Amino acid sequence: MSVPAVIPFKPKNPKSRLSCVLESHEREMFAEMMLSDVIAAVREGGCEPCILSTEPYSFGDVPVFASAAGLNEALNSYLAGKDSPTLIIMADLPLATGEAVERLTSPGTDMAIVPGRGGGTNAIYLSRGSRFRVDYYGASFLKHAKIARDRGLSCRIIDSFRLHTDVDEKEDLVELLIHGRGKSREYLESLGFSLSIEKGRVGVVRER
Amino acid sequence: MSVPAVIPFKPKNPKSRLSCVLESHEREMFAEMMLSDVIAAVREGGCEPCILSTEPYSFGDVPVFASAAGLNEALNSYLAGKDSPTLIIMADLPLATGEAVERLTSPGTDMAIVPGRGGGTNAIYLSRGSRFRVDYYGASFLKHAKIARDRGLSCRIIDSFRLHTDVDEKEDLVELLIHGRGKSREYLESLGFSLSIEKGRVGVVRER
């Protein structure tokens, strides 16, 4: 039986820190393309995706649960009833691959965490969902590591830059244009984005 | 026979982008502590470190080659004579672990590359050094991938955030304070650095 992978998603006004380079409707489309890349990776890694959305939303044949509750509340009430393996993975990880997801979901421990850049948590695998509770925002990686210790759960930190790289800011688009293989990279390129190199530093430019 | 690991190092005025938070002598010490962490990881990963320094330098019992030539020139003349496996790994990867180095040096391909954040190259493993030439600076990851293709070398991209995270700027210190286990983290803490959380964003502060 494949592991369910819950992907929290915000369809309206997502990725506000990209406002400097993307219009509002482009940010919505870009967020959806990243979600699509994550769904593909999750499936390739042998998991069954479902979307936890902040509002009514549909995405092909992927089940969507809409919840107006905060991220932590929504996830913790979901986890409370789960005695089987569960994956929680963020929607802004367009470099994710099936291989990386497989490493994450076969840790040989009670759980596994992928730290995000800047102290966040990009993914959590739980061999038994109900034994854990999430606490996102701020330095959530440290909070999650502590919750694991406090509950006596063995925890592996997954060493993957593909799952570590969450796309929030303009600089992160460099990583996507270099390492992306999916729809979100294609979408960026269709908007006229490409790499630029100035004084040895790599950035992105948009041709309009 | 263990694989030699060449670690390029600049003892004088290193890490200038950290000038905003570290004095000149502190940057030199910090660079040395990061080097020390990389040496420890390389040894743990079964390699034999040697330092390629921009000037005369000594570090315990680790062999040092000083060369006034540029990084590319110095490395390419080193590689030209190497018909055996070789690792080139940067000195500013204080999150490196023996486990990550082992993954890098057993790729099952002619070579392996670890991309750095922002298009750089943090490490290159070559099963036969003389078949490759390096081309650092700018988007060197793309250049190195192209050189591999042009020379018909099979190449694996190593998916590791520990080797992907090079420490250049103040924001990178967050990663070190969260994930570091070695001397450079200890050194930062001895200088009064700690994590700060403001409006949900994680940064570093220094208490003087």
Side-chain angles (χ1 to χ4, degrees):
Chain A
M1 206 185 69
S2 65
V3 174
V6 185
I7 311 172
F9 187 63
K10 184 189 171 195
K12 297 270 184 213
N13 194 28
K15 296 290 145 197
S16 51
R17 281 145 72 190
L18 288 171
S19 303
C20 52
V21 286
L22 292 174
E23 305 292 335
S24 166
H25 69 280
E26 292 168 342
R27 282 189 281 120
E28 288 185 5
M29 182 65 89
F30 181 57
E32 189 166 274
M33 295 295 113
M34 291 204 288
L35 171 66
S36 169
D37 289 342
V38 171
I39 286 172
V42 152
R43 281 184 167 149
E44 215 183 298
C47 297
E48 193 67 56
C50 67
I51 296 167
L52 175 65
S53 177
T54 51
E55 48 214 301
Y57 179 70
S58 77
F59 187 98
D61 59 351
V62 180
V64 176
F65 304 92
S67 169
L71 179 64
N72 290 324
E73 293 70 24
L75 284 171
N76 285 332
S77 66
Y78 169 84
L79 289 178
K82 271 278 168 201
D83 277 331
S84 48
T86 304
L87 175 63
I88 299 166
I89 183 166
M90 294 297 138
D92 60 354
L93 309 175
L95 305 186
T97 56
E99 199 181 350
V101 170
E102 264 177 36
R103 269 210 283 148
L104 167 59
T105 55
S106 40
T109 46
D110 293 326
M111 58 179 291
I113 304 184
V114 181
R117 192 169 154 83
T121 306
N122 286 353
I124 303 176
Y125 170 77
L126 299 161
S127 63
R128 210 174 121 192
S130 59
R131 294 173 74 187
F132 197 73
R133 66 172 178 83
V134 298
D135 191 354
Y136 283 94
Y137 305 114
S140 67
F141 171 74
L142 295 174
K143 293 191 281 181
H144 289 139
K146 183 174 187 310
I147 294 167
R149 278 197 306 278
D150 288 351
R151 299 191 168 200
L153 300 172
S154 59
C155 180
R156 190 169 159 83
I157 311 306
I158 302 298
D159 180 16
S160 163
F161 87 85
R162 293 197 156 271
L163 295 175
H164 177 69
T165 305
D166 39 337
V167 173
D168 289 314
E169 299 183 348
K170 187 184 172 192
E171 290 68 42
D172 304 327
L173 301 182
V174 170
E175 308 306 320
L176 183 51
L177 287 177
I178 292 179
H179 301 290
R181 304 169 187 172
K183 291 195 174 176
S184 48
R185 180 207 170 134
E186 261 177 40
Y187 180 65
L188 276 190
E189 287 176 338
S190 78
L191 292 177
F193 282 92
S194 63
L195 293 173
S196 74
I197 302 178
E198 270 178 62
K199 295 181 192 164
R201 293 281 194 91
V202 183
V204 298
V205 285
R206 180 173 184 178
E207 220 165 275
R208 291 189 194 245
Chain B
M1 205 185 70
S2 65
V3 174
V6 186
I7 310 172
F9 186 63
K10 184 187 172 198
K12 297 271 184 212
N13 195 28
K15 295 289 144 199
S16 51
R17 282 147 71 191
L18 287 171
S19 303
C20 52
V21 286
L22 293 175
E23 305 291 334
S24 167
H25 68 279
E26 291 168 343
R27 281 188 283 120
E28 288 185 6
M29 182 64 90
F30 181 56
E32 188 166 276
M33 294 295 113
M34 289 203 289
L35 171 66
S36 169
D37 288 342
V38 171
I39 286 171
V42 153
R43 282 185 165 148
E44 216 183 295
C47 298
E48 194 67 56
C50 68
I51 296 166
L52 174 66
S53 178
T54 51
E55 49 215 303
Y57 179 70
S58 77
F59 187 99
D61 59 352
V62 179
V64 176
F65 305 92
S67 168
L71 180 64
N72 290 324
E73 294 69 24
L75 284 171
N76 285 331
S77 67
Y78 169 84
L79 288 178
K82 271 279 169 201
D83 277 331
S84 47
T86 304
L87 175 63
I88 300 166
I89 183 166
M90 294 298 139
D92 60 353
L93 309 175
L95 305 187
T97 56
E99 199 182 348
V101 170
E102 265 177 36
R103 266 207 286 147
L104 167 60
T105 55
S106 39
T109 45
D110 293 325
M111 58 178 291
I113 304 184
V114 181
R117 192 169 155 83
T121 306
N122 285 355
I124 303 178
Y125 170 78
L126 299 162
S127 64
R128 210 173 120 193
S130 60
R131 295 175 73 187
F132 197 73
R133 67 172 178 83
V134 298
D135 191 354
Y136 282 94
Y137 304 114
S140 67
F141 170 74
L142 294 174
K143 295 191 280 181
H144 288 140
K146 183 175 186 311
I147 294 167
R149 276 196 308 276
D150 288 349
R151 301 193 166 199
L153 301 171
S154 59
C155 179
R156 192 171 157 83
I157 312 306
I158 302 299
D159 181 16
S160 163
F161 87 84
R162 293 197 155 272
L163 296 175
H164 176 71
T165 305
D166 39 337
V167 172
D168 290 313
E169 300 184 347
K170 188 184 171 191
E171 289 68 42
D172 303 327
L173 301 181
V174 170
E175 307 307 320
L176 184 50
L177 288 177
I178 292 180
H179 301 290
R181 305 169 187 172
K183 289 194 177 176
S184 48
R185 179 207 171 136
E186 260 176 40
Y187 180 65
L188 277 190
E189 287 177 336
S190 79
L191 292 177
F193 282 92
S194 63
L195 293 173
S196 73
I197 302 178
E198 268 177 62
K199 294 182 193 164
R201 294 278 195 93
V202 183
V204 298
V205 286
R206 181 173 183 179
E207 221 164 275
R208 292 193 192 242

